[in-house]
Amino acid sequence: EADIYQTPRYLVIGTGKKITLECSQTMGHDKMYWYQQDPGMELHLIHYSYGVNSTEKGDLSSESTVSRIRTEHFPLTLESARPSHTSQYLCASSATGRSTDTQYFGPGTRLTVL
Amino acid sequence: AQSVAQPEDQVNVAEGNPLTVKCTYSVSGNPYLFWYVQYPNRGLQFLLKYITGDNLVKGSYGFEAEFNKSQTSFHLKKPSALVSDSALYFCAVRDLIKAAGNKLTFGGGTRVLVKP
């Protein structure tokens, strides 16, 4: 198992609430990623970061925001949750370099917005 | 642009029989190719990758994959499937030159069901 952690693992919350999904890794990886996984399985990249103070939008537009103040920490925030945000969110990290570019994933957060 | 196709939504196989999960890719340059497995309520686990060198790559849990440049394929194989291999399998590609930030593109996933 990779040393990448996500909390909470499961979250059920009402519409309009602000939520933050936590992701931390202890591997010293410079790059981190957030993916959204549909009920139909497909993964979509929603945010990524090259390093501290670097964040980029991914391939799928998302109303969430991210920050990267510390190398090991890459939280994702939804200011006002909606039922359309119900999904599984997966965090991953990787290190720069040809032999270390494998992305390692956390266990995921399953979010349900009522 | 880079893309990956997994043509089968589901693969059913009897325990002890060979397992193959298909993947084809498209990139502008040379590809990095990956296979991941996802068990229920878990994140993705890395199985194996191809970067360069030998076209046959061996990975975790007895899995292997063969890179075929002419067919732009990277099929995952296991000689003798176990019931515990039942899971979701994802193929992913990264364009060696053109994909910024180590961005991967994932296939849609293939559900493998191994029956006793």
Side-chain angles (χ1 to χ4, degrees), chain A residues 26-96:
Chain A
T26 58
M27 298 175 283
H29 287 171
D30 52 342
K31 295 182 174 63
M32 295 189 73
Y33 313 82
W34 276 104
Y35 292 87
Q36 185 172 338
Q37 185 172 26
D38 301 340
M41 305 185 306
E42 195 164 351
L43 285 107
H44 301 284
L45 180 68
I46 52 174
H47 298 283
Y48 63 101
S49 167
Y50 291 113
V52 171
N53 294 326
S54 149
T55 61
E56 303 284 344
K57 296 280 190 183
D59 303 322
L60 179 70
S61 176
S62 173
E63 294 167 348
S64 59
T65 58
V66 292
S67 62
R68 188 90 183 276
I69 299 172
R70 303 197 317 264
T71 298
E72 63 271 22
H73 193 213
F74 192 41
L76 180 145
T77 298
L78 277 166
E79 290 293 332
S80 179
R82 295 207 302 270
S84 61
H85 296 137
T86 294
S87 189
Q88 166 120 303
Y89 292 84
L90 295 171
C91 181
S93 70
S94 69
T96 301

Side-chain angles (χ1 to χ4, degrees), chain B residues 51-64:
Chain B
I51 296 176
T52 187
D54 196 346
N55 289 345
L56 185 64
V57 179
K58 293 189 183 296
S60 307
Y61 312 121
F63 284 94
E64 59 188 29

Side-chain angles (χ1 to χ4, degrees), chain B residues 46-97:
Chain B
F46 169 71
L47 277 179
L48 52 80
K49 67 181 177 184
Y50 171 83
I51 296 176
T52 187
D54 196 346
N55 289 345
L56 185 64
V57 179
K58 293 189 183 296
S60 307
Y61 312 121
F63 284 94
E64 59 188 29
E66 186 165 12
F67 171 65
N68 188 317
K69 188 172 184 177
S70 63
Q71 296 185 5
T72 61
S73 67
F74 189 56
H75 301 329
L76 181 70
K77 299 180 181 182
K78 186 170 184 179
S80 179
L82 301 172
V83 172
S84 57
D85 294 329
S86 298
L88 286 172
Y89 291 80
F90 290 94
C91 183
V93 69
R94 176 192 155 208
D95 190 314
L96 177 61
I97 302 298

